[in-house]
Amino acid sequence: MNIFNGEPSIKLDHRPFYSITIPCYNSRNKLPRLLNSILDQDMNDDIEVILCDDHSIEPYQDIVEEYNKQISIKQVRTDYNCCPGNTRERAAQYAEGIWLTNCDHDDALLPNALKTVKQCIEEYDEHYAVYTNYLEIELHKDGSESFIKRNKKEMLLTHGKFFNMDNLWKKYDIHYKKDLITHEDIYISKLINLILSETVHHMPLKLDLDTYKFYQHKSSINSTKYRNIFYNGQEHPFIEVKYKDFCEAHYGIYPLCYDKGYITKQDMIEYMLSIIIYDYMFMQAFIYNNPNTYIEENEKLSINHLKFIKQISGMDTEKIYKTIRHTTAYRDIEKAVRFLFKNFECKYTLKDWMNYIDR
């Protein structure tokens, strides 16, 4: 029997209010905490859970079966093992609820979170999106927890966010970026924010409400994101190894939104100019950290970004440089990169860098 057929374990007699998508990979010891927190919402008749397996190598079906008779669960699977974004994308294709929310298989909802959000949606007559706070928690080996920080509703992550399926997700044909290994949540958040601000002209309902517990694990991608890892036998910053994903997540949405008519050409050019600043600052940090072994593929990305912007804008390198120097984004981006790479020197000035990659 194919358990990944997308059929609900319990057929509801009405459309559920919530579809909760959960990416799964070797989830045996992780899912119970989240599923228990969903049951504790006391909304079983208004929720469907969609588990999407990314070709696990450890079985956990017996764990799922413990919950199949308590809440409506659909199980689906990706075409191949890759990344969380692909699992969330496949799961969303089976969502039939009015509102979509994403959870990670090892996290948890806070008590009464879904009831409170539903009440606020109805009270404020919200039709597009709801953003809430989430708590970042450190999980220790003995099972104990310690509070790290509260992440506010404006964060560019999907945790604690709710999206209307009909008025937003389906109407604007929203999809995760295929095969994006990291930063997939930033990609989808930026895409949705751009659609809401530039096309729908609507601010999401922002609630100063804690709804979600995000657990940090020392081995997770999120925990290692700003540490050094080995690549081709050399130690590099994680973001250097995954810089292509970073670029796709932060700026891959703009050509897409332009093609769909969600933003104007001028808006796209203004947004895309920031990638030149990111390229410049990050590459200076990469070269400073590894002057002889920095990843040259990232330099090629910078060259392609500049070529693309010249093509769509009609500006030459000198004009692009002068335009960038007068933007407020320059100092903001410099500050953000220097926060990640505490100390580094710029080998090139911005102008020299642009001329270098325009060689």
Side-chain angles (χ1 to χ4, degrees):
M1 177 182 176
N2 176 21
I3 61 173
F4 302 112
N5 56 19
E7 294 296 322
S9 62
I10 298 174
K11 291 187 177 181
L12 302 176
D13 60 3
H14 61 284
R15 187 182 186 186
F17 192 81
Y18 291 112
S19 291
I20 303 175
T21 64
I22 305 171
C24 297
Y25 183 74
N26 297 344
S27 301
R28 182 175 189 82
N29 297 321
K30 303 178 179 71
L31 267 177
R33 176 173 54 219
L34 173 57
L35 293 177
N36 285 331
S37 77
I38 293 174
L39 292 178
D40 290 344
Q41 301 299 309
D42 193 26
M43 292 182 67
N44 289 9
D45 62 343
D46 230 356
I47 293 173
E48 66 169 6
V49 174
I50 308 167
L51 305 178
C52 185
D53 182 73
D54 198 25
H55 292 262
S56 297
I57 57 175
E58 298 175 5
Y60 59 92
Q61 184 58 29
D62 57 320
I63 301 297
V64 177
E65 288 176 356
E66 295 179 14
Y67 297 88
N68 268 338
K69 294 183 180 180
Q70 301 179 70
I71 194 166
S72 182
I73 295 178
K74 297 176 180 177
Q75 291 183 258
V76 295
R77 174 174 272 179
T78 55
D79 294 329
Y80 48 86
N81 174 262
C82 185
C83 55
N86 287 6
T87 61
R88 298 188 203 278
E89 174 67 22
R90 176 58 59 85
Q93 294 170 4
Y94 287 82
E96 296 181 293
I98 301 171
W99 288 83
L100 175 74
T101 190
N102 301 294
C103 290
D104 290 338
H105 67 167
D106 51 353
D107 294 330
L109 293 166
L110 288 165
N112 298 313
L114 297 186
K115 279 189 175 181
T116 305
V117 171
K118 182 180 179 182
Q119 290 169 359
C120 291
I121 287 171
E122 294 173 344
E123 178 182 350
Y124 292 99
D125 195 28
E126 177 58 37
H127 295 285
Y128 294 97
V130 180
Y131 293 179
T132 66
N133 306 331
Y134 72 91
L135 307 180
E136 198 167 329
I137 307 294
E138 183 176 0
L139 183 64
H140 303 287
K141 289 184 178 180
D142 62 1
S144 61
E145 303 176 4
S146 57
F147 174 79
I148 300 176
K149 62 181 177 180
R150 172 177 288 106
N151 290 287
K152 302 296 286 184
K153 49 193 174 290
E154 291 83 4
M155 290 287 289
L156 274 177
L157 297 169
T158 55
H159 311 306
K161 291 184 171 65
F162 304 82
F163 309 110
N164 188 279
M165 285 295 294
D166 295 338
N167 300 323
L168 180 63
W169 200 272
K170 291 182 178 179
K171 182 175 181 178
Y172 293 97
D173 196 26
I174 294 171
H175 298 280
Y176 283 88
K177 180 76 173 180
K178 187 177 180 181
D179 295 346
L180 195 63
I181 303 298
T182 66
H183 298 88
E184 86 288 341
D185 49 354
I186 290 178
Y187 174 88
I188 206 75
S189 295
K190 286 180 72 72
L191 175 60
I192 289 171
N193 285 348
L194 193 66
I195 291 171
L196 287 173
S197 64
E198 301 297 330
T199 302
V200 183
H201 304 295
H202 176 83
M203 288 291 291
L205 176 61
K206 296 182 179 181
L207 303 175
D208 193 15
L209 171 72
D210 302 330
T211 61
Y212 188 87
K213 293 174 77 173
F214 173 80
Y215 287 90
Q216 287 280 21
H217 306 273
K218 290 185 177 180
S219 61
S220 69
I221 286 179
N222 192 70
S223 297
T224 59
K225 192 174 292 183
Y226 304 115
R227 299 178 188 171
N228 285 7
I229 60 174
F230 280 89
Y231 175 81
N232 287 344
Q234 298 287 336
E235 193 175 18
H236 294 270
F238 182 95
I239 200 165
E240 181 180 8
V241 177
K242 298 297 182 183
Y243 188 62
K244 182 177 180 180
D245 281 357
F246 175 89
C247 294
E248 286 287 346
H250 283 268
Y251 295 98
I253 64 169
Y254 297 117
L256 170 70
C257 288
Y258 173 65
D259 288 343
K260 289 180 176 289
Y262 299 158
I263 59 174
T264 66
K265 181 177 181 179
Q266 185 58 41
D267 286 338
M268 184 185 71
I269 292 170
E270 291 178 5
Y271 289 127
M272 292 296 295
L273 286 173
S274 297
I275 194 63
I276 298 296
I277 310 173
Y278 268 114
D279 283 342
Y280 168 63
M281 295 305 304
F282 272 120
M283 285 304 303
Q284 303 313 298
F286 299 157
I287 293 172
Y288 180 82
N289 278 276
N290 299 286
N292 299 316
T293 60
Y294 69 92
I295 300 174
E296 293 185 2
E297 284 82 356
N298 293 333
E299 192 172 281
K300 294 175 183 176
L301 281 176
S302 303
I303 295 169
N304 290 334
H305 291 156
L306 181 59
K307 286 181 178 178
F308 176 69
I309 293 171
K310 289 173 66 176
Q311 179 183 355
I312 63 171
S313 68
M315 294 189 288
D316 60 16
T317 302
E318 179 68 17
K319 176 66 173 177
I320 292 172
Y321 164 74
K322 290 180 178 179
T323 303
I324 288 174
R325 288 298 295 167
H326 289 89
T327 64
T328 58
Y330 183 87
R331 293 302 172 195
D332 293 338
I333 293 172
E334 180 182 25
K335 183 178 179 180
V337 176
R338 288 194 179 279
F339 176 78
L340 296 177
F341 290 91
K342 309 303 180 184
N343 298 303
F344 68 89
E345 297 176 2
C346 292
K347 181 178 179 180
Y348 301 93
T349 65
L350 174 60
K351 187 172 185 178
D352 287 343
W353 169 254
M354 292 180 65
N355 287 331
Y356 168 69
I357 61 174
D358 194 34
R359 62 191 185 279

